[in-house]
Amino acid sequence: MDREVRRVEDSYVETMHIVRPNHLNSAGRLFGGILMEWIDEVAGLVAKRHAKSNITTASVDNLRFLKGAYQGDTLVIIGKITYVGTTSMEVRVDTYCENLIGERRPINRAYFTMVALDQNDKPMPVPGILLETEVEKAEWENGKKRRANRMMRKEAGF
Ligand SMILES: CC(C)(COP(=O)(O)OP(=O)(O)OC[C@H]1O[C@@H](n2cnc3c(N)ncnc32)[C@H](O)[C@@H]1OP(=O)(O)O)[C@@H](O)C(=O)NCCC(=O)NCCS
């Protein structure tokens, strides 16, 4: 039977947060652990929409804090599926700080590997991706390389 495919935009997720006093670290900047919680949630929502099943986070790589964020900042978090294996999905999550005229400055990027789980919490196959744009095709090709790196690190145990 042919593998079912879904479009990238079908699982696209965008969320927003205001940085409040309880999100800050002792130096007065957004605490990285809070942002990691928000981006993990977005990655999970993307994966859930794509797989239409329960999911779990297997790994996170290339997580880069590019700029800090401060109290009162408006953050926009965007998650998109970029690559799928058999039971795993790679989700790219970009975080931006948005100003009052809607300009967005990137502050974080990360790639999550999410795994679809069946009713017994065992990995289950996921649909493929219908690649519709040049950007999606390029992400897919780069996703193959990132997956190879991940597998190499897993085998090496680091
Ligand atoms: C992720 C998990 C389900 C993988 O289970 P497993 O027994 O290794 O299953 P498999 O070997 O069949 O791997 C399943 C998929 O995960 C991928 N995978 C496993 N470990 C991985 C890792 N460290 N990094 C990236 N992908 C990984 C495999 O490549 C495979 O993908 P594929 O089917 O597309 O090829 C399991 O390790 C787990 O439950 N971990 C805990 C997850 C969790 O609790 N997360 C929340 C954080 S608290």
Side-chain angles (χ1 to χ4, degrees):
M1 203 175 77
D2 286 343
R3 187 183 197 185
E4 186 188 351
V5 288
R6 301 217 166 104
R7 297 184 311 159
V8 171
E9 70 180 60
D10 291 339
S11 55
Y12 176 97
V13 170
E14 180 170 330
T15 59
M16 294 181 82
H17 294 270
I18 298 260
V19 179
R20 298 186 190 284
N22 56 315
H23 302 139
L24 303 181
N25 63 22
S26 53
R29 290 149 73 101
L30 172 64
F31 176 47
I34 297 274
L35 182 59
M36 288 196 276
E37 179 184 332
W38 292 342
I39 63 179
D40 186 36
E41 193 170 66
V42 166
L45 290 167
V46 171
K48 225 172 189 177
R49 276 187 168 168
H50 183 78
K52 300 201 188 307
S53 72
N54 200 3
I55 48 87
T56 190
T57 308
S59 72
V60 187
D61 51 39
N62 298 55
L63 190 148
R64 283 181 291 154
F65 291 99
L66 306 167
K67 299 273 182 221
Y70 299 87
Q71 186 172 330
D73 280 351
T74 301
L75 302 190
V76 179
I77 304 177
I78 293 175
K80 287 180 198 169
I81 192 151
T82 47
Y83 182 83
V84 295
T86 304
T87 64
S88 68
M89 297 158 275
E90 183 191 69
V91 179
R92 169 175 160 170
V93 182
D94 288 288
T95 306
Y96 302 90
C97 190
E98 186 177 278
N99 67 17
L100 291 175
I101 57 168
E103 291 166 342
R104 292 177 177 182
R105 180 170 57 95
I107 65 161
N108 188 280
R109 176 177 297 167
Y111 286 89
F112 287 75
T113 301
M114 314 300 293
V115 176
L117 300 177
D118 67 14
Q119 288 177 338
N120 300 311
D121 266 0
K122 299 284 175 225
M124 61 176 271
V126 295
I129 303 179
L130 183 62
L131 300 169
E132 296 181 302
T133 68
E134 291 308 312
V135 171
E136 289 169 8
K137 287 174 192 164
E139 274 287 13
W140 176 272
E141 289 306 315
N142 289 328
K144 280 187 200 167
K145 294 179 199 159
R146 287 187 294 267
R147 180 187 167 97
N149 284 338
R150 249 172 245 133
M151 293 303 110
M152 193 180 66
R153 288 199 301 265
K154 193 179 175 202
E155 271 172 35
F158 63 88

